[in-house]
Amino acid sequence: MPAGLPSLPNDAIASYHFAVEIDGVEIAQFSELSGITSEIDVIELKENMKDGKPMIKKLPGARKPPTITLKRAKNSSKALWDWHYAMYQGKVATARKNGSIILNDYEGGEVTRYNFTNGWVSKVTMGTLKAGSNEVLMEEISIVCEELERV
C-alpha cells in the first residue's frame, strides 16, 4: 500500500475540527469558517515586440488579504459585537487584533495554523427570525485583516 513521504503525515484533515484564537485566547465555538485564501493581483502589461506583434505579460501585483467568515449559533455574549463596535466608533487601535485559525487532527492535536495580522470585524449578521420555527438562530461575522500567513 502506498505511503506518504517519510516522516510527513498523510492523513486528511477533518473540516469540523478547528479553533479560533484572538490575541492568544481561544474564542467562541464556531460551526463554520470560510475565506482562508491567498491571492495576488495580476497586472497585465501590454507591449509590442520588435516585429510589431502584440504581447501581454502577466506580472504580480499587490497581495489581497482575505476576509474570514465565521458562523455560530447566536448566544447572549456581546464580545464579538463589542469588537465590531469598537471600529464602528473609530477606535481603530483597539479594534485591530491578531489571531489564528488552528486546524486539528482527529485526536485534537494541532496540524496547522494560519495567523492573521491586524484583523477587525467588518460585519455582523444575525440570521432570520421566524415565528413557529424550531431552528437555531445563527450569527455570522466577517473579519478583514492585513496579512494571512500559514505557519
Side-chain angles (χ1 to χ4, degrees):
M1 181 150 115
L5 296 172
S7 77
L8 292 179
N10 57 5
D11 288 336
I13 300 171
S15 66
Y16 67 87
H17 217 124
F18 64 93
V20 179
E21 285 182 1
I22 303 298
D23 288 339
V25 177
E26 188 172 326
I27 63 165
Q29 297 295 317
F30 294 95
S31 59
E32 192 174 324
L33 184 146
S34 62
I36 302 297
T37 61
S38 179
E39 187 175 354
I40 301 171
D41 281 333
V42 177
I43 299 171
E44 288 191 357
L45 175 64
K46 298 177 183 179
E47 57 186 19
N48 291 327
M49 303 294 286
K50 288 181 182 177
D51 60 2
K53 291 183 182 175
M55 180 175 160
I56 298 175
K57 290 184 179 178
K58 298 198 179 213
L59 305 168
R63 294 175 296 175
K64 291 174 74 174
T67 297
I68 301 165
T69 302
L70 299 165
K71 293 181 184 178
R72 70 174 185 165
K74 178 83 176 127
N75 62 24
S76 61
S77 171
K78 279 186 54 193
L80 294 173
W81 177 263
D82 290 344
W83 183 16
H84 166 68
Y85 202 65
M87 187 60 83
Y88 189 82
Q89 293 176 315
K91 298 176 182 174
V92 176
T94 304
R96 287 190 173 150
K97 299 184 180 297
N98 298 327
S100 299
I101 309 299
I102 303 141
L103 305 181
N104 298 314
D105 61 17
Y106 290 98
E107 297 173 353
E110 185 174 318
V111 175
T112 193
R113 175 182 291 256
Y114 293 88
N115 291 335
F116 62 85
T117 306
N118 289 332
W120 52 277
V121 178
S122 64
K123 183 177 178 182
V124 177
T125 306
M126 187 172 74
T128 304
L129 299 171
K130 186 168 42 172
S133 174
N134 63 354
E135 297 172 5
V136 172
L137 181 61
M138 298 299 288
E139 177 178 48
E140 180 177 314
I141 67 165
S142 297
I143 300 173
V144 295
C145 61
E146 294 177 3
E147 177 109 23
L148 181 72
E149 176 186 26
R150 182 176 176 183
V151 293

